[in-house]
Amino acid sequence: MGKTLFEKIWDSHVVVEKENNPSLIYIDRHLVHEVTSPQAFEGLRINNRTVRRPNLTIATMDHNVPTTDRRLPILDQTSAIQMQTLEKNCKDFGIELFDINSPNQGIVHVIGPQLGITLPGSTIVCGDSHTSTHGAFGALAFGIGTSEVEHVLASQTLWLEKPKSFEIRVDGKRKNPHAVTAKDIILSIIKNIGTSGGTGTIVEYSGEGITDLSMEERMTVCNMSIEAGARAGLVAPDEKTFAYLRNRKYTPKNYESLVGHWRENLKTDTNAKFDKTFTLHIDNIAPQVSWGTNPGMTCDVTESVPFAEDYSNGDQSQKKAMVKALEYMDLKPGTPITEIKIDRVFIGSCTNARIEDLIEASKVIKDQKISKNVRAMVVPGSQMVKKQAEEMGIDKIFTDAKFEWREAGCSMCLGMNPDILSPGERCASTSNRNFEGRQGTGGRTHLVSPVMAAAAALEGHFVDVRQLDLN
Amino acid sequence: MEKFKKIKTIVTPLDQVNIDTDQIVPKQFLKLIQKTGFGKYLFYDWRYDENENQKKGFVLNNKKYQGSQILITGNNFGCGSSREHAVWALKDYGFSVIIAASFADIFYSNCFKNGILPIILDEKIVKKLTHEPEELEVDLENQTLSSSSKRISFEIDSHKKKILLEGLDDIAQTLQFEDRVTEYEKQSKIPSVL
Ligand code: SF4
């Protein structure tokens, strides 16, 4: 029987295999950031261990860096200590670091591909669940805990039980790809399979709806695989993939010969079998808006907040969770999504803060002003994205519309830096998690695409962007 | 890591599905650079109001469950962020066993690195134990949960069981395979970054 892409990558990374036991898997790339690494380096020191392959390890600061002027001092002392700690750890253990002043700094999952560190067929880990983003390049990429970060630093390997394989086919063509985006595809998938629908699996996204996507759109889809519970999501590499990684800062010297090898090998055999499958047809899908406190609690922009009975389908725990969610979100069943008023807009995060996201959002707001009731912010995913946008004059479109234009980082995706919602504030956000308090204690998050967020900023409530002229 | 021993306490019922790690430890506490002392931040926004007073009605604030080392909860526990801080907080607070019908992957594997036993049971049994919390004895060696009235067995992967029972240092185990890793590296096609 044939093999799936995931199985091929897995098999080519097994160092030690024992029956009925986890396998020792080799890790090709290890990305490190300030929040989940300090305890790992401390563990190395306590046990007198070194980093086995500093030249496969890259670090940056993203989670709690301020997004205001980089020349200002960092006011939050605990954040400053965490950044200094990363600096010291990288220096002591010989790891390349893109610190807060580096032109390469940015959200770890945005800079990996931009710098050509992410490669097809490789294994990539990071102490961050959205490592799944890199799967867009046909890499096996997944998030790990801090103990595993320490394990990879020390040994460049991990003990893993082989996950199951899950094919998610996306069939059809979107009628208006500027209005119905990759974000809407992945939110639709999660809405359908649920937040634990992918638990224990590696998802391979396939079908015309995926191959049609640009690399950055594929990253948005793979990024949120973890929101469906999957450990990783991947897409078989194609010519778009190879073109994207050509001539980047760290693109390997023998790139073309690697491409030859990848072209031959990195695809699922036609006679391979997946453990699980799901198909989404996208011909008629609508822009999505989340109404609850997990990414599965999502509906079409044309719908209304559902009633508990309809949503839970008789499942008492689901019903209870939904009642709690609506109470937290201060929403009543039956309220049309387009009547929900917002206070804040956040365009940012490793899901949707790449250059294409900013270009698409800027088209919506060009020559207009945001609603006077809204405070809106753009936080580019990396300093490289920021620079590129500024060279194109996109920053100007945003600032003319009264958006704040910030420095790169995770920012209000998780609110570890000063960018947070106040209790009760409601935000249209391009990030990936609408958990209680995610963007600030008591804050209310609605997940949407960049164009949906931009349109909501103008109107002060959600609108169906299919009604706008976006071409 | 300490060896996992038999424990016997009342179970704390936290009846909610899809509890994410943002709730287990809110982000404002992720800035610490050590592993200890996270217990006081466990379920912080659910345990305390804005003036840091205990919220009535939240199960951890109920006297009945003080000293409990067993948490029982809904499906897909520990979803979301990979933060191991969630496991450090549960452990530091005093929990050594978490029972649910399912766990999120990263959380599940983080548990074993910190001496916490996550037990997966049938949803019906979990519901029953949640609605009638009682004192349970957890015996990992024999893979049983028992009370005065019942005895339930649970499944666990033999490798994971061994790690907990023997309190093994994962990394030391792996480093015994260093030669194999070096051999692997010689034939790997993926070039270094730098
Ligand atoms: S942008 Fe958000 S989801 Fe992405 S790495 Fe940062 S905190 Fe995590």
Side-chain angles (χ1 to χ4, degrees), chain A residues 33 62-64 107-110 126-131 133 223 226-227 346 348-353 381 409-416 431-433 438, chain B residues 81 83:
Chain A
H33 67 84
D62 52 5
H63 280 66
N64 67 33
I107 305 172
V108 63
H109 312 309
V110 177
C126 172
D128 187 280
S129 57
H130 292 98
T131 310
T133 314
N223 172 275
I226 181 77
E227 256 56 67
F346 172 65
S349 92
C350 57
T351 314
N352 279 132
C410 293
S411 176
M412 218 163 70
C413 172
L414 91 166
M416 271 189 83
S431 55
N432 43 51
R433 286 186 177 141
R438 170 81 178 179
Chain B
S81 155
R83 59 186 72 164

Side-chain angles (χ1 to χ4, degrees), chain B residues 57-68:
Chain B
F58 184 59
V59 66
L60 259 55
N61 294 332
N62 185 336
K63 281 217 177 58
K64 188 173 163 195
Y65 302 112
Q66 300 312 307
S68 164

Side-chain angles (χ1 to χ4, degrees), chain B residues 100-188:
Chain B
S102 64
F103 291 91
D105 293 336
I106 304 178
F107 178 86
Y108 186 76
S109 90
N110 283 343
C111 283
F112 293 95
K113 317 279 180 196
N114 294 280
I116 288 188
L117 169 64
I119 298 179
I120 299 172
L121 291 181
D122 183 79
E123 203 170 336
K124 283 204 194 87
I125 302 176
V126 173
K127 286 218 163 114
K128 198 157 174 355
L129 289 171
T130 307
H131 295 133
E132 296 156 23
E134 58 180 342
E135 194 175 68
L136 283 183
E137 184 181 72
V138 181
D139 180 345
L140 174 56
E141 183 82 59
N142 294 306
Q143 298 179 212
T144 56
L145 295 173
S146 41
S147 70
S148 46
S149 61
K150 56 171 106 40
R151 194 183 166 89
I152 305 161
S153 29
F154 60 87
E155 296 291 318
I156 182 152
D157 168 275
S158 60
H159 176 79
K160 294 209 154 70
K161 177 174 171 179
K162 187 169 160 213
I163 288 178
L164 284 181
L165 283 175
E166 297 179 18
L168 294 177
D169 173 356
D170 228 14
I171 296 178
Q173 301 281 312
T174 308
L175 294 178
Q176 295 173 0
F177 292 99
E178 226 173 333
D179 297 349
R180 302 275 291 272
V181 178
T182 309
E183 228 172 88
Y184 177 90
E185 282 171 332
K186 280 190 202 133
Q187 57 80 49
S188 167

Side-chain angles (χ1 to χ4, degrees), chain A residues 12 21 26 29 39 52-53 55 76 82 146-147 151 159 161 200 320 414 416 433 436-438, chain B residues 15 22-23 27 30-32 34 46 80-81 84 105 110 159-160 169 174 182 184-185 191-193:
Chain A
S12 67
N21 267 307
Y26 194 78
R29 299 283 186 265
Q39 295 86 351
R52 180 180 175 86
R53 295 290 303 275
N55 59 356
D76 181 337
Q82 214 165 44
T146 298
S147 297
H151 194 281
W159 291 102
E161 268 146 82
K320 201 174 149 207
L414 91 166
M416 271 189 83
R433 286 186 177 141
E436 281 184 28
R438 170 81 178 179
Chain B
D15 187 12
D22 274 72
Q23 309 313 317
K27 64 204 157 237
L30 303 186
K31 292 179 183 171
L32 304 177
Q34 67 278 13
W46 291 355
S81 155
E84 199 162 314
D105 293 336
N110 283 343
H159 176 79
K160 294 209 154 70
D169 173 356
T174 308
T182 309
Y184 177 90
E185 282 171 332
S192 316
V193 183

Side-chain angles (χ1 to χ4, degrees), chain B residues 61-79:
Chain B
N61 294 332
N62 185 336
K63 281 217 177 58
K64 188 173 163 195
Y65 302 112
Q66 300 312 307
S68 164
Q69 295 180 44
I70 308 170
L71 183 70
I72 185 156
T73 185
N75 292 348
N76 198 25
F77 186 73
C79 58

Side-chain angles (χ1 to χ4, degrees), chain A residues 71-277:
Chain A
R71 287 161 305 188
L72 300 173
I74 292 162
L75 297 176
D76 181 337
Q77 275 317 302
T78 45
S79 290
I81 290 172
Q82 214 165 44
M83 287 181 239
Q84 287 155 11
T85 306
L86 182 63
E87 239 176 88
K88 178 170 175 8
N89 286 334
C90 289
K91 198 155 167 256
D92 289 359
F93 291 94
I95 294 167
E96 173 103 297
L97 166 70
F98 303 126
D99 70 8
I100 186 161
N101 299 310
S102 163
N104 296 328
Q105 179 267 344
I107 305 172
V108 63
H109 312 309
V110 177
I111 66 169
Q114 271 190 310
L115 292 168
I117 294 168
T118 304
L119 293 182
S122 64
T123 49
I124 304 177
V125 297
C126 172
D128 187 280
S129 57
H130 292 98
T131 310
S132 59
T133 314
H134 308 263
F137 293 84
L140 178 57
F142 51 90
I144 55 178
T146 298
S147 297
E148 289 173 319
V149 169
E150 184 180 338
H151 194 281
V152 176
L153 288 172
S155 70
Q156 206 57 37
T157 61
L158 277 178
W159 291 102
L160 292 172
E161 268 146 82
K162 191 170 171 184
K164 300 254 182 283
S165 60
F166 185 4
E167 181 182 37
I168 297 186
R169 275 194 75 83
V170 179
D171 281 342
K173 271 202 185 307
R174 291 168 289 161
K175 289 202 185 75
N176 183 347
H178 293 288
V180 180
T181 68
K183 181 67 159 283
D184 303 303
I185 295 177
I186 187 63
L187 282 171
S188 298
I189 291 171
I190 300 166
K191 174 173 81 176
N192 278 288
I193 68 173
T195 52
S196 55
T199 303
T201 71
I202 306 288
V203 172
E204 179 174 343
Y205 297 96
S206 64
E208 189 188 9
I210 296 296
T211 48
D212 272 356
L213 298 177
S214 72
M215 287 316 296
E216 298 198 352
E217 292 174 309
R218 293 180 195 177
M219 283 190 251
T220 300
V221 172
C222 288
N223 172 275
M224 287 189 74
S225 306
I226 181 77
E227 256 56 67
R231 196 73 199 263
L234 44 78
V235 175
D238 58 14
E239 295 312 313
K240 283 186 204 171
T241 319
F242 307 139
Y244 187 99
L245 294 171
R246 209 165 262 134
N247 302 324
R248 302 266 168 183
K249 184 173 162 74
Y250 292 107
T251 305
K253 291 209 176 56
N254 60 340
Y255 188 67
E256 295 314 320
S257 79
L258 289 169
V259 167
H261 171 75
W262 293 332
R263 220 179 249 134
E264 282 302 301
N265 295 293
L266 293 180
K267 52 185 165 235
T268 290
D269 297 329
T270 42
N271 57 346
K273 276 225 159 33
F274 289 88
D275 296 307
K276 209 173 160 180
T277 56

